[in-house]
């Protein structure tokens, strides 16, 4: 049966989930999943939401989209306790921690951050590969993604362009040259960032593109053709 409550946690239903757009994005590995073990693991990291799926998967998070439908398929017993229900196939048994707030709905678009400006929302993959093929030197944990962290990571690596996709998948970097365009996919570039559900971090197969002209200028001054700056000497 579905465990209705545990400590400060309360069951708030069963939602349809998908690998293309997870309800919750932080996966916790448990040797023998139970509802209690999953909720305890999520509260250790101060998450507001916890969910179980396929009888053994545990997820945590602080935001959900408003349009995930209810599911009748939370029917699988927990791997660690067959008397409890731990979600189902593409269905998440969802729990809320009463002491921690969470966001519901699409993230808000961050138009600018420091010298970084939002240019467009476009498809991530182009004919010859990824639009932005690189990443920050120090990878950003998938459950801590924000626009600011991605932009800072790309700037530290010397890239002029930063991109965020699907709210959590990855921060992409590169040198992408284009004029600012209309946000053709604006209504679909709205998945909340895993590190801050108030912000939008792209969409499914769609990427928010941010550009920093100062990074571009610095890169131009440090490298020109086959020449590279070696320092200032007296």
């Amino acid at each position: 049966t579905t465990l209705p409550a545990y400590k400060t946690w309360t069951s708030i239903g069963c939602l349809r989930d998908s690998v293309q757009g997870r309800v919750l994005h932080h996966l916790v590995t448990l040797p023998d999943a139970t509802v209690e073990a999953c909720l305890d693991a999520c509260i250790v990291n101060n998450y507001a939401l916890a969910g179980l799926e396929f009888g053994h998967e545990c997820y945590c998070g602080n935001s959900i989209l408003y349009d995930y439908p209810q599911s009748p398929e939370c029917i699988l017993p927990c791997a660690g306790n067959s008397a409890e229900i731990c979600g189902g196939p593409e269905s998440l048994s969802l729990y809320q921690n009463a002491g921690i707030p969470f966001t519901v709905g699409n993230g808000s678009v961050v138009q600018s951050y420091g010298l970084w400006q939002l240019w467009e929302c476009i498809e991530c993959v182009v004919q010859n590969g990824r639009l932005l093929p690189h990443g920050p030197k120090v990878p950003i944990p998938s459950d801590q993604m924000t626009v600011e962290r991605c932009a800072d990571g790309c700037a530290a690596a010397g890239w002029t362009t930063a991109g965020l996709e699907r709210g959590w998948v990855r921060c992409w970097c590169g040198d992408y040259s284009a004029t600012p365009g209309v946000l053709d996919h604006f209504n679909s570039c709205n998945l909340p960032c895993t590190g801050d559900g108030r912000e939008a971090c792209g969409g499914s197969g769609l990427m928010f593109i941010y550009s920093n002209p100062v990074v571009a200028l610095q890169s131009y001054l440090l490298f020109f053709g086959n020449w590279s700056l070696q320092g200032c000497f007296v």
Side-chain angles (χ1 to χ4, degrees):
T1 60
T2 298
L3 186 67
Y6 171 69
K7 295 182 179 178
T8 57
W9 295 88
T10 303
S11 172
I12 56 174
C14 176
L15 296 185
R16 180 68 63 188
D17 200 12
S18 170
V19 294
Q20 282 75 38
R22 290 287 185 192
V23 176
L24 304 176
H25 299 294
H26 180 67
L27 175 64
V28 177
T29 301
L30 299 174
D32 294 301
T34 66
V35 174
E36 296 89 341
C38 179
L39 303 186
D40 284 341
C42 290
I43 196 60
V44 165
N45 293 298
N46 211 37
Y47 284 107
L49 299 165
L52 299 105
E53 187 170 351
F54 281 115
H56 62 90
E57 296 178 355
C58 171
Y59 294 91
C60 312
N62 287 316
S63 62
I64 57 175
L65 288 178
Y66 69 91
D67 56 355
Y68 283 102
Q70 293 287 324
S71 170
E73 298 298 321
C74 284
I75 55 175
L76 294 181
C78 299
N81 183 354
S82 60
E84 296 178 352
I85 294 297
C86 282
E90 295 191 336
S91 297
L92 191 78
S93 296
L94 189 63
Y95 289 81
Q96 175 190 355
N97 189 320
I100 305 175
F102 67 94
T103 58
V104 178
N106 297 328
S108 298
V109 176
V110 177
Q111 296 290 342
S112 63
Y113 165 63
L115 296 172
W116 292 87
Q117 297 291 325
L118 175 64
W119 277 25
E120 54 191 341
C121 173
I122 58 178
E123 294 183 4
C124 306
V125 180
V126 294
Q127 185 174 4
N128 296 321
R130 293 205 64 89
L131 185 67
L132 299 175
H134 308 286
K137 290 182 179 179
V138 180
I140 302 169
S142 62
D143 62 320
Q144 299 176 22
M145 191 65 65
T146 65
V147 172
E148 295 82 359
R149 292 197 68 173
C150 180
D152 287 343
C154 291
W159 300 111
T160 64
T161 312
L164 297 108
E165 172 192 359
R166 203 184 290 173
W168 66 278
V169 172
R170 191 172 174 182
C171 168
W172 300 96
C173 309
D175 292 323
Y176 170 66
S177 298
T179 56
V182 177
L183 298 180
D184 293 332
H185 303 285
F186 179 80
N187 290 330
S188 298
C189 256
N190 55 18
L191 293 182
C193 302
T194 56
D196 186 346
R198 297 168 298 179
E199 298 180 359
C201 279
S204 181
L206 298 171
M207 182 185 296
F208 266 144
I209 298 293
Y210 289 84
S211 180
N212 188 332
V214 172
V215 175
L217 178 61
Q218 291 173 340
S219 298
Y220 177 79
L221 294 175
L222 291 174
F223 302 96
F224 178 75
N226 294 323
W227 295 86
S228 62
L229 179 65
Q230 298 299 306
C232 178
F233 302 91
V234 294

